[in-house]
């Protein structure tokens, strides 16, 4: 089949490929510790599962409004307003099957050849992939360990040109878990207003934060009308497989994104949306317990990694990833990740899976049991010792 040229510019998410390779090794009898996939290992809280089952039993089995159920849009707006201090109403919210379609739709709706979009690198691979898909220029904003894996605002300013239309930020970030400070967010907002940029703020890890409070750029002066907040239920409520996310944006723009919903998936599963209402309005104890467990695991990982010669690791303030520097092993990210998987039985992602500025790093998701994390640390130590000779 002769594909459109845009298809040749579309990238992918390596995590799923590594998972397939790891499963193939397991099928041949190899024991593999999975640190590649970015999803909580916890089950969805019981009350949410029950709300989903109850919705199906009571007839929530039909199409729903493409922008989302009014009750859920309302619940999302009030959640954002109380957690971030925004002033959204249901009209600002579009519900989607996962948070990812918000990135897909927003980039598709805004960019065309001649435009430039700045995105974090290393960063979630779909940003770069989708910018390239539209034919716009993808301009990486390097996320550096020397800046504690937060976007460097001075460097960002130098990347803005008259063609820059969109800026993507992600805090807490994937893959580095870097967190932007309130002061950084303020300065980024000033740049966005000054240069008339639209900001896609990916806040999917906003509830998984260990120090300080999450600050949304949407709350900064002049930003509500130029910000799209992406968030969802996958990470906070361990609901990756349900596919439920949303965007909060200016009302006119929400109408445009709704057109993309109508032209693609029609609507998000209504039973899943009913479960989403329970997630936001029901007890939050499971979320707190999950974050506490992640924090304990983070400590195990950071301490364990820093004790391995040739490896060093910053202490992340959010999300559930560590991004250790493995350059002291003498191996490239890809070589080290491949040997970890094939010889030592640890599925990890090369930092370069998240962009060229990820060279010298690995991304390890610690959404796994403490026992497995300790096993992985022993294996990483063996791999590092072997690499260093
Ligand atoms: N944004 C970031 C930074 C992510 O890491 C992910 C998932 O890994 C998503 C968005 C999308 O999540 P979902 O589509 O499951 O809501």
């Amino acid at each position: 089949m002769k594909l459109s040229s845009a298809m040749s510019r579309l990238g992918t998410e390596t995590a799923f490929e590594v998972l397939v390779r790891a499963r193939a090794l397991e099928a041949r009898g190899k024991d593999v510790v999975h640190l590649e996939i970015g999803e909580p290992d916890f089950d969805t809280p019981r009350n949410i599962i029950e709300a989903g089952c109850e919705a199906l039993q009571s007839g929530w089995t039909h199409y729903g409004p493409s922008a989302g159920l009014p009750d859920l849009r309302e619940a999302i707006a009030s959640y954002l307003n109380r957690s971030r201090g925004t002033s959204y109403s249901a009209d600002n919210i579009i519900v989607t099957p996962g948070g990812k379609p918000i990135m897909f739709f927003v980039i598709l709706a805004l960019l065309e050849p001649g435009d430039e979009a700045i995105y974090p690198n290393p960063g979630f691979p779909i940003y770069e992939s989708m910018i390239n898909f539209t034919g716009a220029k993808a301009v990486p904003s390097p996320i550096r360990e020397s800046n504690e894996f937060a976007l460097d605002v001075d460097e960002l300013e130098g990347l803005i040109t008259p063609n820059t239309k969109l800026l993507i930020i992600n805090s807490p970030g994937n893959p580095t878990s870097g967190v932007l400070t309130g002061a950084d967010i303020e300065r980024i907002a000033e740049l966005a207003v000054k240069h008339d940029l639209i900001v896609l703020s990916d806040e999917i890890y906003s509830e998984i934060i260990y120090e300080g409070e999450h600050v949304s750029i949407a709350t900064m002066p002049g930003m509500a009308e130029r910000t799209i907040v992406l968030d969802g239920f996958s990470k906070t409520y361990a609901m990756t497989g349900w596919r439920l996310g949303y965007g909060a944006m200016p009302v006119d723009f929400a109408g445009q994104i709704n057109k993309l919903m109508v032209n693609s998936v029609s609507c998000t599963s209504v039973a899943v949306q009913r479960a989403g209402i329970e997630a936001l309005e029901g007890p939050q104890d499971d979320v707190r317990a999950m974050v506490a467990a992640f924090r304990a695991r983070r400590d195990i990982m950071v301490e364990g990694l820093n004790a391995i010669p040739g490896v060093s690791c910053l202490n992340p303030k959010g999300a559930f990833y560590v991004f250790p520097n493995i350059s002291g092993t003498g191996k490239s990210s890809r070589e080290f990740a491949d040997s970890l998987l094939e010889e030592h039985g640890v599925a990890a992602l090369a930092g370069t899976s998240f962009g060229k500025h990820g060279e010298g790093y690995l991304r390890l998701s610690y959404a796994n049991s403490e026992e497995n994390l300790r096993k992985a640390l022993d294996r990483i130590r063996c791999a590092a010792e072997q690499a260093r000779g």
Side-chain angles (χ1 to χ4, degrees):
M1 264 182 233
K2 189 165 179 342
L3 300 177
S4 72
S5 55
M7 283 305 289
S8 68
R9 300 194 296 268
L10 208 51
T12 188
E13 237 188 293
T14 318
F16 293 107
E17 289 170 12
V18 173
L19 178 65
V20 169
R21 279 169 61 203
R23 292 267 184 255
L25 286 169
E26 285 173 316
R28 298 207 302 268
K30 189 164 181 77
D31 179 55
V32 177
V33 182
H34 290 269
L35 304 184
E36 75 278 41
I37 285 282
E39 69 171 344
D41 54 320
F42 301 100
D43 290 331
T44 305
R46 251 0 280 173
N47 59 314
I48 301 175
I49 294 179
E50 276 156 21
C53 293
E54 158 73 24
L56 287 171
Q57 298 285 5
S58 50
W60 291 92
T61 54
H62 300 271
Y63 289 130
S66 49
L69 294 175
D71 288 357
L72 177 60
R73 294 170 76 200
E74 197 79 60
I76 291 168
S78 40
Y79 157 72
L80 289 173
N81 296 345
R82 66 176 183 271
S83 64
R84 320 279 212 278
T86 47
S87 37
Y88 291 124
S89 74
D91 294 340
N92 295 108
I93 310 299
I94 301 287
V95 178
T96 43
K100 222 175 181 182
I102 290 294
M103 178 186 308
F104 187 86
F105 293 157
V106 166
I107 292 172
L108 217 50
L110 292 176
L111 297 180
E112 60 193 349
D115 292 333
E116 295 180 15
I118 301 175
Y119 69 99
N121 184 320
F124 192 58
I126 304 306
Y127 309 142
E128 183 181 336
S129 163
M130 277 305 299
I131 298 166
N132 285 332
F133 185 69
T134 66
K137 183 175 171 194
V139 179
S141 161
I143 303 295
R144 301 183 198 283
E145 183 180 5
S146 54
N147 199 36
E148 287 197 58
F149 293 128
L151 180 159
D152 180 328
V153 188
D154 294 322
E155 198 170 3
L156 169 68
E157 187 164 16
L159 299 173
I160 299 172
T161 76
N163 295 329
T164 309
K165 186 165 184 191
L166 177 68
L167 167 65
I168 302 176
I169 58 173
N170 173 216
S171 174
N174 178 8
T176 63
S177 291
V179 173
L180 286 165
T181 63
D184 285 340
I185 298 267
E186 222 169 286
R187 288 187 59 213
I188 296 170
E190 282 164 15
L191 285 178
V193 171
K194 180 172 162 198
H195 296 279
D196 192 22
L197 309 181
I198 299 165
V199 175
L200 171 61
S201 179
D202 185 339
E203 303 182 14
I204 199 107
Y205 296 100
S206 62
E207 293 289 344
I208 305 173
I209 200 151
Y210 310 117
E211 280 169 45
E213 284 218 339
H214 173 70
V215 180
S216 175
I217 197 164
T219 59
M220 297 289 147
M223 288 308 294
E225 57 265 37
R226 59 177 70 251
T227 303
I228 297 102
V229 172
L230 178 161
D231 203 343
F233 296 74
S234 288
K235 318 288 174 176
T236 307
Y237 297 102
M239 289 177 74
T240 45
W242 294 68
R243 309 311 299 133
L244 186 61
Y246 55 87
M249 63 201 86
V251 174
D252 290 356
F253 190 63
Q256 301 302 317
I257 298 302
N258 191 30
K259 281 203 302 199
L260 287 167
M261 277 295 287
V262 174
N263 277 273
S264 54
V265 293
S266 296
C267 69
T268 307
S269 154
V270 290
V272 166
Q273 291 189 66
R274 297 294 302 171
I277 298 174
E278 172 62 22
L280 291 176
E281 295 184 343
Q284 302 296 306
D285 314 77
D286 286 322
V287 177
R288 279 190 283 273
M290 203 164 67
V291 174
F294 281 146
R295 188 190 186 111
R297 296 168 183 186
R298 174 200 66 170
D299 294 345
I300 291 171
M301 289 305 282
V302 171
E303 194 187 327
L305 288 164
N306 280 318
I308 299 174
V311 177
S312 65
C313 184
L314 290 187
N315 195 19
K317 300 188 185 84
F320 43 73
Y321 309 109
V322 280
F323 204 64
N325 185 329
I326 51 96
S327 51
T329 63
K331 297 278 183 202
S332 72
S333 295
R334 175 47 51 88
E335 286 167 341
F336 197 68
D338 284 349
S339 103
L340 262 182
L341 176 60
E342 272 139 36
E343 295 165 48
H344 301 274
V346 177
L349 299 185
T352 43
S353 302
F354 300 88
K356 63 177 181 189
H357 294 285
E359 184 52 80
Y361 299 89
L362 284 184
R363 189 196 77 169
L364 308 174
S365 159
Y366 50 83
N368 208 323
S369 67
E370 292 188 8
E371 186 192 348
N372 279 338
L373 295 180
R374 291 187 202 283
K375 188 157 54 161
L377 284 166
D378 288 342
R379 293 177 182 184
I380 296 169
R381 172 183 286 279
C382 279
E385 280 168 358
Q386 187 181 313
R388 282 156 61 89

